[in-house]
Amino acid sequence: MVVLGAGPAGLTLGNLLQRSGIDCVVLERAERAHLVTRARAGFLAAHTVRILERHGLAEGLLRYGQAHSACEFRTEDGRFRLEYGGLGLGERHTVYPQQLLVGDLLTRFLAVGGRVEFGTEAVAVLDADTGRPSVAVREADGRPGRWQARYVAGCDGRHGAARRSLPAGAVRRYDCDHGVSWLGLLAEAPPSLDAVGYAVHERGFAGHMARTSEITRYYVQCERGTPADAWSEERIWEELELRMRAKEYGPLRRGPFVQRSVVDLESDVLEPLRHGALFLAGDAAALISPSAAKGANLAVLEAEMLARALTDDLLHGDPTGLDTYSARCLPYIWRAQEFSHWMIGLLHRPARPGADGSSPFHDALRRSRLASLRTSRSRQDWFAEHYVGV
Ligand code: APR
């Protein structure tokens, strides 16, 4: 079995296969040091934690992760807090930086005899529609190579080789550009709120998400095409404080920004998640905007489903799980997409305003959406169920 990509999807899959006795190699373009330091997401849904726990992969996150169960909205109509841990299904997030999770998954995988080829870039998946697929690679020393396998799992993200290798017409892509961009920042500063903060402001969205006691993630909506280094640190803090209404609700705890990047909010879903012997999971299967932090959670869910299906096929000769893999995953993916899309509409002014640059009708709808979330218990239960769930 060849797995492309050592992110949450590829490493969860690798661990589950290896422990079932299925020989498995993970091909990863990056070096190990890069993987375990690359800051990404950090909010793990209760269901994700249960999956990882079930397979003995949750030790680090249970020890060091922080339970998280509240978010605060700051809007032109005041602020309100949702203690979502006590709403809906009563579930919480565990905040655990993704690079630590990847580090844990990697350590476990190597400990159970798994093999990772770092610095090895998959170039193309070949002959996926035959019984003998292979992966053409560029080895760490730059030479071309080839890996043969019964099945290939494409867990190499949105720009990976798995997607690129799909022949035209084999898979349909549903995509959406939300027309919104965020400047994503990692600040070396303690969190300023004990909740996820979502600020809706006429200047644009701003977000606050704790990572650890010393590191906080911030997002500031910016114009499409803004270079990541366009704003000075001072300007960013001023924008954050303005949009988060720090004068009314308290100052932000500042610190240097140790990482910044611009994210264009885009989503897509491929259907089906299979082409012959090539299966897609994680970002390679569906790209989800970070508005509701679903990406890593879907990746783990799909990896577990794919691992079970591969085990049934390879160890017990039962292909049913592989045949139904795509159809079983897609409802979860679409549900997460629908919620993330709804969140984007909740948190931003319309991306495609009218000719005069405004869209009062849509703006009023957004305020009404926030008001019903503030006042309607059934709306809050619905929010909590979808916010933490996958
Ligand atoms: N060959 C080998 N490895 C590759 C290639 C390639 N051609 N292209 C990409 N990769 C590797 C990347 O270096 C990365 O380590 O594939 C891995 C993909 O990992 P992620 O991007 O983390 O994707 P995934 O495992 O699907 O996790 C889903 O978590 O934080 C979120 O935004 C993130 O939603 C994403 C997620």
Side-chain angles (χ1 to χ4, degrees):
M1 178 77 209
V2 171
V3 177
L4 310 183
L11 287 173
T12 302
L13 178 63
N15 269 289
L16 304 198
L17 292 178
Q18 194 68 31
R19 283 161 48 117
S20 304
I22 295 169
D23 189 28
C24 166
V25 61
V26 177
L27 308 180
E28 168 57 52
R29 184 177 58 185
E31 294 303 331
R32 181 178 184 156
H34 177 69
L35 278 191
V36 300
T37 50
R38 178 176 55 182
R40 309 278 296 272
F43 271 68
L44 298 175
H47 186 72
T48 309
V49 175
R50 281 195 292 272
I51 293 177
L52 295 169
E53 222 178 335
R54 188 149 64 224
H55 301 290
L57 300 171
E59 205 180 304
L61 74 92
L62 292 176
R63 185 175 307 162
Y64 303 111
Q66 305 278 327
H68 199 285
S69 57
C71 52
E72 183 173 306
F73 293 86
R74 297 181 175 184
T75 80
E76 58 266 68
D77 299 314
R79 75 170 159 173
F80 66 96
R81 194 177 161 95
L82 283 187
E83 300 282 349
Y84 59 81
L87 294 161
L89 302 174
E91 297 198 311
R92 295 154 174 241
H93 281 112
T94 300
V95 179
Y96 191 57
Q98 189 169 307
Q99 67 274 25
L100 300 186
L101 177 64
V102 165
D104 295 351
L105 293 173
L106 190 57
T107 306
R108 292 294 303 169
F109 183 58
L110 298 173
V112 293
R115 180 167 167 199
V116 184
E117 295 293 323
F118 293 105
T120 300
E121 180 173 9
V123 178
V125 180
L126 305 168
D127 304 319
D129 50 357
T130 71
R132 288 186 60 76
S134 64
V135 181
V137 300
R138 192 173 301 115
E139 309 273 6
D141 60 9
R143 283 192 307 205
R146 185 72 75 92
W147 288 83
Q148 222 124 36
R150 174 89 177 272
Y151 294 114
V152 177
C155 303
D156 50 349
R158 70 182 294 199
H159 298 300
R163 278 190 171 210
R164 276 200 313 272
S165 305
L166 296 166
V171 165
R172 179 164 178 192
R173 177 169 177 256
Y174 296 81
D175 65 316
C176 174
D177 180 346
H178 303 280
V180 169
S181 299
W182 288 357
L183 175 59
L185 303 145
L186 213 54
E188 222 168 59
S192 302
L193 283 93
D194 62 346
V196 174
Y198 294 116
V200 183
H201 194 275
E202 61 180 15
R203 294 177 66 84
F205 165 76
H208 160 286
M209 281 134 220
R211 281 291 179 268
T212 66
S213 53
E214 293 105 42
I215 300 281
T216 308
R217 190 108 173 108
Y218 284 97
Y219 290 108
V220 205
Q221 189 182 349
C222 58
E223 287 288 325
R224 182 60 61 93
T226 306
D229 57 1
W231 296 5
S232 68
E233 295 215 349
E234 186 61 25
R235 164 144 189 234
I236 296 170
W237 284 115
E238 279 169 12
E239 278 295 333
L240 281 168
E241 296 205 321
L242 190 70
R243 297 181 192 191
M244 296 200 66
R245 298 173 171 83
K247 271 198 189 131
E248 285 159 81
Y249 305 130
L252 302 178
R253 299 167 80 172
R254 295 188 177 196
F257 293 118
V258 289
Q259 205 192 75
R260 42 166 100 190
S261 60
V262 173
V263 198
D264 294 333
L265 270 57
E266 290 172 314
S267 312
D268 70 12
V269 180
L270 300 194
E271 286 201 26
L273 307 177
R274 171 181 193 175
H275 173 60
L278 170 62
F279 291 86
L280 306 173
D283 273 12
L287 179 68
I288 188 154
S289 80
S291 55
K294 298 283 185 214
N297 294 293
L298 282 174
V300 171
L301 177 81
E302 291 152 20
E304 191 196 39
M305 287 167 108
L306 185 54
R308 191 169 301 159
L310 285 164
T311 307
D312 284 348
D313 182 87
L314 292 168
L315 297 187
H316 311 297
D318 177 4
T320 321
L322 288 180
D323 292 341
T324 57
Y325 167 70
S326 180
R328 286 181 295 123
C329 285
L330 284 165
Y332 293 101
I333 293 175
W334 278 115
R335 214 167 147 185
Q337 291 282 7
E338 194 276 324
F339 183 72
S340 298
H341 194 87
W342 179 88
M343 283 284 283
I344 292 170
L346 184 79
L347 301 174
H348 301 86
R349 308 191 79 194
R352 291 176 194 82
D356 66 345
S358 72
S359 177
F361 181 82
H362 287 98
D363 234 15
L365 283 186
R366 183 184 51 73
R367 284 175 85 157
S368 172
R369 200 178 260 189
L370 279 160
S372 68
L373 188 58
R374 189 174 61 227
T375 54
S376 156
R377 174 63 201 250
S378 62
R379 198 62 163 160
Q380 294 171 356
D381 284 328
W382 173 86
F383 174 85
E385 186 183 331
H386 288 79
Y387 189 58
V388 197
V390 263

